[in-house]
Amino acid sequence: MNEKNDRAAWIQARSATCSLPPKPSHAPPLRLILLGAPGVGKGTQAELLCAGLGVCQLSTGEVFRAAKCLSAAERTPAIREALACMHRGELVPDATVLDLIRERKRCLHCRGGFLLDGFPRTVPQAEALDQLLTEEDLHLDAVLNYTLPIATVVQRLSGRRTCANCRSVFHIHARPPRVVDVCDHCRGPLIQREDDRPEAVHVRLAAYEQSTKPLIQYYAGHGLVRTISAGGEPERIYERTLAILEP
Ligand code: AMP
């Protein structure tokens, strides 16, 4: 197992650097995109893939959630708009998301490779990413498309709990912490993400159907899509993922 990358450069951008660059357990680096409706378990698979393969998880949602901790004075108008969209469960405008990615483009060169989680979310974002990767002389290895029936997705989202401290993800039934509402890893409090509230879940699933699902077609056209059933235990889904990544 690799040690976990702290991803400071991704979360904070600007001059932050990662204190612990990931050590790849494979060569050359893997560059992946995770697709699938909110709640299919992309975050959990991302954690397992990072630990197992040494790739770095680059989650745009996580950057926006971190921005919630900024003081009012530190929040730019773009960040304020992004947080309002997030609160409602709507997608943040493409221009804001793309600025965020460009500010962090050195993370795309991480020596273990990267795993984009939650980005791209729209076809214009995917086109902009293609352009950026070409400029940076990088290429994608695969787009992992996790699938699950919609009723199961809703069940997963409503039971999901995240550690307010270290961001580890649990589920009240499928992946319960040893002590109720307490993180197994750092003993931090487990909270429900505000966009996992039922009213926001409804909007997020509609946004997925309308804006993100067309990406499957887009990347299928590039021959990159690998579809994986996201049913069952996280460890089984991870095994399916590794099998599909084998050359
Ligand atoms: P996630 O953690 O990926 O489910 O993202 C949480 C929320 O952040 C989403 O519901 C959106 O409001 C916002 N968000 C994250 N990534 C993107 C993106 N690539 N495009 C637009 N909005 C995003």
Side-chain angles (χ1 to χ4, degrees):
M1 279 253 175
N2 288 281
E3 289 172 281
K4 203 173 172 185
N5 187 318
D6 71 359
R7 290 174 299 139
W10 174 254
I11 305 292
Q12 295 157 31
R14 298 201 173 81
S15 58
T17 51
C18 286
S19 62
L20 185 64
K23 301 176 199 74
S25 58
H26 54 81
L30 270 177
R31 301 197 174 99
L32 307 170
I33 290 179
L34 294 194
L35 282 187
V40 293
K42 296 189 296 293
T44 305
Q45 289 309 306
E47 271 184 34
L48 294 170
L49 286 162
C50 291
L53 300 180
V55 291
C56 189
Q57 179 192 5
L58 307 180
S59 153
T60 41
E62 201 173 4
V63 175
F64 290 130
R65 280 186 286 283
K68 277 200 265 180
C69 302
L70 296 174
S71 67
E74 287 172 313
R75 290 183 186 183
T76 61
I79 285 292
R80 278 201 292 276
E81 187 186 359
L83 293 180
C85 290
M86 209 175 148
H87 179 76
R88 294 189 295 265
E90 295 168 7
L91 292 185
V92 174
D94 286 343
T96 307
V97 179
L98 292 170
D99 281 350
L100 177 154
I101 298 289
R102 282 194 207 96
E103 273 179 14
R104 292 162 172 78
K105 66 180 181 187
R106 70 199 155 118
C107 290
L108 300 174
H109 292 273
C110 196
R111 71 183 173 124
F114 62 73
L115 197 161
L116 286 170
D117 169 15
F119 173 83
R121 272 295 221 283
T122 65
V123 170
Q125 289 181 17
E127 289 168 344
L129 175 65
D130 276 350
Q131 196 186 330
L132 183 61
L133 291 175
T134 305
E135 285 164 21
E136 300 295 311
D137 198 20
L138 297 168
H139 70 271
L140 292 171
D141 293 293
V143 174
L144 305 178
N145 174 35
Y146 290 97
T147 59
L148 202 63
I150 207 77
T152 317
V153 162
V154 172
Q155 207 178 37
R156 282 200 185 173
L157 286 174
S158 57
R160 179 158 69 179
R161 298 291 181 271
T162 307
C163 175
N165 188 31
C166 74
R167 319 305 310 167
S168 293
V169 180
F170 296 84
H171 189 279
I172 52 174
H173 302 304
R175 210 186 188 200
R178 283 192 290 270
V179 178
V180 176
D181 290 339
V182 177
C183 178
D184 286 356
H185 309 297
C186 72
R187 323 246 357 115
L190 300 185
I191 53 169
Q192 182 171 43
R193 276 168 44 171
E194 69 172 5
D195 57 351
D196 283 346
R197 292 168 300 125
E199 56 275 36
V201 164
H202 172 74
V203 181
R204 286 166 72 201
L205 290 175
Y208 171 76
E209 284 294 322
Q210 194 191 334
S211 306
T212 310
K213 235 180 171 177
L215 285 181
I216 299 167
Q217 200 72 29
Y218 178 87
Y219 284 117
H222 291 58
L224 287 169
V225 176
R226 310 279 180 273
T227 296
I228 302 161
S229 160
E233 294 296 308
E235 288 71 20
R236 300 292 85 74
I237 306 165
Y238 179 58
E239 283 167 10
R240 278 175 226 145
T241 305
L242 291 185
I244 223 160
L245 283 174
E246 285 198 346

